[in-house]
Amino acid sequence: MKAVVFDTHDYDRRALSEANANGTHALTFLDVRLDEQTAKLAEGFDAAIAFVNDHLDEPVLERLAAGGVRLVAMRCAGHNNLDLAAATRLGITVVTVPSYTPHAVAEHVFALTLSLLRSVPRAVSRVRDGNFSVEGLVGSLLCGKTFGIVGFGQIGRVVAGIARGFGCRVVIHDPYVKDTAADVENLPLEDLLARSDVISLHSPLTPQTRHLINAARLAMLKEGAVLINTGRGALVDTLALIETLKADRLGGVGLDVYELEEKFFYTDWSNDVLPDDVLARLLTFRKVLVTSHMGFLTREALAEIAQTTLRSLGDFEAGQTLKNRLS
Ligand code: NAI
């Protein structure tokens, strides 16, 4: 199948090329993101393969359809950046990669959590600078703490298992989950926020979950709580988060995602002035760690994402049932 792949980096091209080693599909890799200007580059292709920060709103999907694209393959789990109703109306089939190893994101949650609880980045930079003082770096244990998980899906469940391994009490908030194990309490969100020492967000971004963590809910967090967001940036009201950080009420904040990340994440801005005052302010807090939407970024996940995406292309071409079909 002729497919154009948007927003690719070396690691994407390598993983997809390895998964396509037998040359089944003709893949064209582009650096640019998919948006209204770049959609015309998909002309003449059967499929467009897109990622988390590509724009797949109605006008873009209309251009894709007009150019002959019949399949959009999201090489990610989330699809909040795609207008599914418009795709259906235009006769474009949409597939995602709903389940690649949830351990990739789940383990990143603990990379962030432990880095914050034990001040690892500050400790490393002090020692590198020849400063062996540990003043101000007293940490706290994860063992014995209450770990709150918002969204008890594939990733949330793996996070729960790891948290239990650390000796945490696990509480969750998921209005759609009924089958929790006996030792997992499914609490109203407000109760989870008030009781948890660490809160980790794993619900999808929907109109209902946008700014799920707003000023009122941030005020419910325990003094010294750690907030981790590896879900989607807009689950948290960033301006409200900044006010809470300024009041120095939180123990730490780990963000793998940011509301306005698409302009910055996956791009080298190190030689430029950062034109986003909110992101720039976030980066000034010593208790905040930001990573560039890399929770998934493991060799294992990239290989699985590539294989699942290309399998969907093959199944679509063969007219077979699509396991990961959205529309
Ligand atoms: P999933 O679909 O297996 O689980 C999501 C869970 O959230 C479901 O159990 C659902 O019932 C629950 N949920 C829905 N609305 C909710 C609400 N209002 N409050 C609480 N829970 C709610 O999804 P999965 O695979 O666990 O991924 C979760 C999210 O993680 C994705 O939607 C995506 O946005 C994000 N993600 C981030 C990655 C990264 O690299 N940082 C990589 C992969 C996913």
Side-chain angles (χ1 to χ4, degrees), residues 102-316:
H103 292 267
V105 179
E107 290 184 8
H108 194 62
V109 168
F110 291 89
L112 291 171
T113 305
L114 292 170
S115 297
L116 288 162
L117 288 177
R118 305 305 293 269
S119 301
V120 174
R122 293 187 70 199
V124 169
S125 63
R126 270 195 205 182
V127 169
R128 186 161 291 147
D129 195 35
N131 176 359
F132 299 96
S133 160
V134 292
E135 209 63 61
L137 300 185
V138 176
S140 45
L141 289 184
L142 198 44
C143 182
K145 297 293 175 0
T146 299
F147 201 107
I149 298 170
V150 179
F152 200 55
Q154 297 178 88
I155 297 171
R157 285 167 198 258
V158 175
V159 169
I162 300 174
R164 271 194 289 266
F166 273 103
C168 295
R169 266 181 307 278
V170 173
V171 294
I172 68 155
H173 167 70
D174 192 321
Y176 306 104
V177 160
K178 306 283 173 246
D179 64 326
T180 57
D183 58 343
V184 176
E185 274 184 273
N186 194 351
L187 302 174
L189 181 57
E190 286 69 20
D191 293 355
L192 177 142
L193 298 176
R195 277 174 51 179
S196 300
D197 300 291
V198 181
I199 296 103
S200 192
L201 307 180
H202 301 289
S203 54
L205 179 63
T206 64
Q208 291 74 39
T209 61
R210 180 171 293 275
H211 289 187
L212 191 70
I213 305 300
N214 56 19
R217 291 193 171 127
L218 283 163
M220 293 172 189
L221 296 185
K222 270 187 185 177
E223 185 92 26
V226 169
L227 176 68
I228 306 290
N229 187 10
T230 60
R232 284 290 181 267
L235 293 175
V236 177
D237 178 344
T238 316
L239 291 177
L241 178 64
I242 286 175
E243 289 310 309
T244 311
L245 284 160
K246 279 160 73 180
D248 203 16
R249 287 197 56 249
L250 299 180
V253 175
L255 303 174
D256 187 45
V257 286
Y258 163 61
E259 279 190 276
L260 304 176
E261 70 180 46
E262 63 176 78
K263 183 166 177 187
F264 305 102
F265 285 15
Y266 306 135
T267 306
D268 182 0
W269 278 82
S270 61
N271 291 314
D272 300 289
V273 172
L274 206 55
D276 181 322
D277 289 353
V278 177
L279 180 56
R281 182 67 177 107
L282 264 184
L283 296 176
T284 65
F285 294 103
R286 277 184 286 277
K287 288 182 179 174
V288 174
L289 287 184
V290 179
T291 52
S292 189
H293 203 143
M294 54 175 286
F296 73 98
L297 193 66
T298 56
R299 271 185 281 280
E300 293 84 353
L302 286 170
E304 265 188 88
I305 290 168
Q307 284 154 13
T308 305
T309 302
L310 295 192
R311 199 175 312 124
S312 292
L313 258 64
D315 288 348
F316 180 82

Side-chain angles (χ1 to χ4, degrees), residues 1-8 12-13 16 20 25-35 38-51 54 56 60 63-65 67-75 95 309-310 313:
M1 197 168 191
K2 261 183 90 182
V4 58
V5 194
F6 284 91
D7 195 13
T8 60
D12 299 303
R13 294 190 273 268
L16 282 160
N20 193 40
H25 303 286
L27 302 179
T28 297
F29 297 112
L30 301 179
D31 297 342
V32 291
R33 290 197 179 145
L34 175 57
D35 59 24
T38 60
K40 58 180 177 299
L41 298 172
E43 214 175 293
F45 288 91
D46 308 307
I49 301 179
F51 194 50
D54 289 314
L56 294 110
V60 170
R63 285 193 186 194
L64 292 183
V69 167
R70 294 173 294 128
L71 175 72
V72 165
M74 301 299 294
R75 53 180 207 281
V95 290
T309 302
L310 295 192
L313 258 64

